[in-house]
């Protein structure tokens, strides 16, 4: 599979699963169909829009092409009609969030590198791309953003973006670098939840 095709698939997948996570949060809060679609679209495109604006790629891709909002809307409709099936998964919002996190961390890093950013800047922008949608979703649903209280969240996105950038610099083929980096980020996020990994916190006074 060519790298452009892989990243097209990853972008569609990331938008869809983030859209699903937004829709499921909306359903949990008993939003109506319009509210579900609003939260689904906001979650699916916010990270990419933030990335594009920071890169100076204005207007953002989500506003100039049809597919990002269409895919996120499809995710909202899917969640609306198949809520029971999705909820059969263990912690579906967390699972979809982890997949979207890994996909967008690598896709965001790649686009930043294509725009000429240094690797460190591209890694940071990849992380911002990955966490942006979840932050918007949680704020709109009046929840504390997961990035502020679930420790291995932004860190998993950073690790995925950094792995991709380092692998490319080491001469690893782009398809392998991207696939491995996404898998690492998703695995770190899922493992941190399952195993209860926590970062150091200040002692209580």
């Amino acid at each position: 599979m060519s790298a452009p095709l892989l990243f097209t698939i990853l972008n569609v997948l990331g938008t869809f699963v983030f859209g699903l996570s937004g829709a499921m949060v909306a359903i949990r809060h008993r939003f109506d169909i319009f509210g579900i679609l609003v939260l689904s679209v906001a979650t699916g495109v916010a990270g990419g829009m933030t990335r594009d604006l920071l890169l100076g790629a204005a207007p953002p891709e989500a506003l100039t092409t049809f597919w990002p909002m269409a895919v996120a809307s499809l995710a909202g409709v899917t969640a609306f009609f198949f809520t029971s099936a999705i909820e059969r998964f263990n912690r579906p919002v967390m699972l979809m969030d982890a997949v979207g996190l890994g996909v967008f961390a690598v896709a965001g890093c790649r686009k930043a590198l294509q725009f000429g950013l240094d690797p460190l800047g591209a890694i940071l922008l990849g992380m911002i791309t990955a966490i942006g949608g979840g932050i918007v979703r949680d704020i709109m649903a009046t929840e504390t953003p997961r990035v502020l209280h679930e420790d291995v969240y932004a860190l998993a996105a950073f690790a995925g973006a950094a792995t991709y950038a380092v692998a490319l610099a080491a001469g690893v083929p782009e398809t392998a670098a991207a696939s491995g980096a996404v898998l690492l980020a998703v695995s770190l996020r899922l493992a941190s939840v399952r195993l209860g990994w926590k970062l150091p916190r200040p002692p209580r006074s």
Side-chain angles (χ1 to χ4, degrees):
M1 182 185 298
S2 67
L5 176 59
L6 173 63
F7 275 95
T8 298
I9 293 171
L10 288 178
N11 275 307
V12 172
L13 174 63
T15 302
F16 187 80
V17 295
F18 261 146
L20 274 180
S21 77
M24 293 304 293
V25 168
I27 290 168
R28 189 175 68 200
H29 283 273
R30 303 297 298 169
F31 290 7
D32 62 20
I33 180 61
F34 183 74
I36 291 168
L37 289 174
V38 167
L39 202 58
S40 176
V41 171
T43 308
V45 306
M49 290 180 71
T50 302
R51 173 202 63 207
D52 290 350
L53 291 172
L54 289 173
L55 287 173
E61 183 181 4
L63 299 180
T64 58
T65 58
F66 175 74
W67 75 264
M69 290 193 184
V71 169
S73 297
L74 177 62
V77 172
T78 300
F80 182 82
F81 285 107
F82 299 101
T83 303
S84 298
I86 295 170
E87 286 182 338
R88 291 197 184 104
F89 292 96
N90 183 32
R91 301 184 66 176
V93 173
M94 186 278 295
L95 177 61
M96 291 179 287
D97 207 38
V99 175
L101 193 78
V103 167
F104 275 177
V106 174
C109 181
R110 180 182 190 253
K111 187 163 186 176
L113 289 170
Q114 289 178 331
F115 268 71
L117 265 64
D118 289 337
L120 180 57
I123 291 167
L124 292 174
L125 196 55
M127 181 182 72
I128 291 170
T129 306
I131 66 177
I135 291 174
V136 170
R137 175 198 62 214
D138 295 342
I139 290 174
M140 291 180 70
T142 66
E143 296 182 358
T144 302
R146 285 166 173 77
V147 69
L148 299 180
H149 64 91
E150 296 192 10
D151 296 316
V152 186
Y153 188 86
L155 184 61
F158 183 89
T163 298
Y164 173 72
V166 170
L168 283 185
V172 176
E174 187 173 18
T175 300
S179 302
V182 170
L183 182 61
L184 173 67
V186 174
S187 299
L188 276 177
R189 175 65 184 140
L190 295 178
S192 72
V193 174
R194 181 174 179 82
L195 301 176
W197 291 344
K198 300 289 184 183
L199 297 178
R201 301 190 181 197
R204 295 181 181 272
S205 57

